[in-house]
Amino acid sequence: MSLFAFTLVVVAAIAHAAWNLASKKASSSGLLFIWLGAVASTVFYLPLAIVDIGLHGLELRSFILGATVSAVLHVAYMFLLQRGYAAGDISVVYPMARGTGPLLTVVFAIVIFGERPPPLALFGALVIVAGVVAIGLAGSVGRRRAASAGLGMPGAAPSRMRAGIIYGLLTGVSIAAYTLWDASVVNGGGVSPLTFMVGCTLGELVLLAPIALRRRAQLVTVWRSFKREAVIVGLLSPLSYILVLWAMQLAPVSLVAPARELSVVLVSLAGWLVYREPNPVQRMVGAVVVLGGVALLAVA
């Protein structure tokens, strides 16, 4: 992977971790918060997309089909992620999702796109997935220990652990689906990452508009409670993915998808330091493993 592509992925990982932490605070708001984030994204990025289209043109058919399918996949991803954050710990849901997603993406990028990453890069990808899973299991172990010690509500910890794992795995499947689809659009459809991402955001607005209109009073309450978080998500969520799509134009999908999981290290640190989630030693060991895998990708 080139240094420039790797830099794009690192910046994207930082932005991705930041918006996920903001989303965690509003996890109980569900689809209404997602819609507000899409509104904020449109306000930020639509003017830039118009300029981009004016400069580079647009393959309309690829744009409409690509953005429509991607919007459906991204709404499913955001919904599962929000539900997971509400039902489980961020340090379980997020690592499980980010571990499953790139693993499936690497496999299908090789099968579907015919990519042949070098052995060192493939090993680095597997190391990253192993580190991510180790971080996720740290939350599970901590919950089980708390439950066995009689801390908290009986049955609550195992229930949150199971919910976190299930939603994490489902979210990972959705990540693999939208990553492979979006890579095919920006690499083969003649659509720039910026314009494509704005099209996806507009699709999300349309898909979720009926829910937002039916629940206007609740929407106002969510905005008043979480407007700062909605703005953060609206700004950083598209930015992180635009950078990833750009990197996918410069490097194989099977390398970019695992490398972006650097964000797991940042979220796991926050889960420990901010949310006081358990078992920090295993989290940090997993984080070091992830960093080692990212380093292997950088030199491959």
Side-chain angles (χ1 to χ4, degrees):
M1 187 185 302
S2 69
L3 178 61
F4 182 61
F6 183 72
T7 302
L8 291 175
V9 173
V10 171
V11 176
I14 295 171
H16 196 276
W19 80 253
N20 269 270
L21 292 172
S23 182
K24 167 67 175 177
K25 295 181 180 179
S27 59
S28 61
S29 304
L31 293 175
L32 294 180
F33 179 77
I34 296 173
W35 191 82
L36 288 172
V39 171
S41 297
T42 303
V43 171
F44 285 131
Y45 291 103
L46 183 58
L48 297 177
I50 293 172
V51 173
D52 183 50
I53 293 171
L55 292 174
H56 304 108
L58 179 66
E59 175 58 48
L60 190 60
R61 182 177 179 181
S62 295
F63 170 74
I64 293 175
L65 176 62
T68 300
V69 174
S70 184
V72 173
L73 294 174
H74 275 84
V75 167
Y77 158 68
M78 291 292 290
F79 175 72
L80 290 169
L81 191 65
Q82 286 286 99
R83 291 289 296 173
Y85 286 168
D89 286 344
I90 189 173
S91 55
V92 175
V93 177
Y94 189 83
M96 292 301 293
R98 305 314 305 184
T100 305
L103 179 60
L104 293 175
T105 301
V106 168
V107 172
F108 284 107
I110 293 172
V111 173
I112 297 173
F113 298 147
E115 295 184 356
R116 294 295 181 265
L120 182 62
L122 193 58
F123 179 68
L126 294 176
V127 168
I128 290 172
V129 172
V132 167
V133 172
I135 294 171
L137 292 177
S140 302
V141 171
R143 285 289 180 184
R144 285 198 298 269
R145 288 176 178 172
S148 63
L151 302 176
M153 293 178 61
S159 175
R160 286 185 64 83
M161 181 189 72
R162 284 193 299 271
I165 292 173
I166 291 171
Y167 277 111
L169 292 174
L170 291 174
T171 304
V173 172
S174 70
I175 290 170
Y178 78 64
T179 299
L180 293 167
W181 173 260
D182 295 352
S184 70
V185 174
V186 297
N187 287 331
V191 182
S192 77
L194 172 60
T195 300
F196 178 67
M197 192 68 247
V198 171
C200 295
T201 303
L202 290 172
E204 292 169 16
L205 280 177
V206 172
L207 288 171
L208 298 177
I211 297 174
L213 292 174
R214 278 201 312 268
R215 298 159 63 183
R216 288 189 293 272
Q218 188 178 351
L219 183 68
V220 172
T221 301
V222 172
W223 171 251
R224 288 174 178 171
S225 301
F226 301 111
K227 54 180 173 290
R228 184 180 68 174
E229 288 77 13
V231 169
I232 291 173
V233 171
L235 177 62
L236 295 184
S237 178
L239 175 62
S240 66
Y241 200 53
I242 288 168
L243 295 176
V244 166
L245 291 174
W246 191 2
M248 286 179 182
Q249 293 181 318
L250 304 173
V253 178
S254 54
L255 300 187
V256 174
R260 66 184 296 219
E261 304 317 315
L262 180 63
S263 60
V264 173
V265 176
L266 304 176
V267 172
S268 297
L269 280 171
W272 168 38
L273 297 174
V274 178
Y275 297 108
R276 303 298 179 185
E277 293 176 355
N279 213 4
V281 174
Q282 187 171 335
R283 297 182 199 282
M284 293 306 98
V285 171
V288 171
V289 173
V290 171
L291 291 174
V294 171
L296 290 173
L297 288 183
V299 300

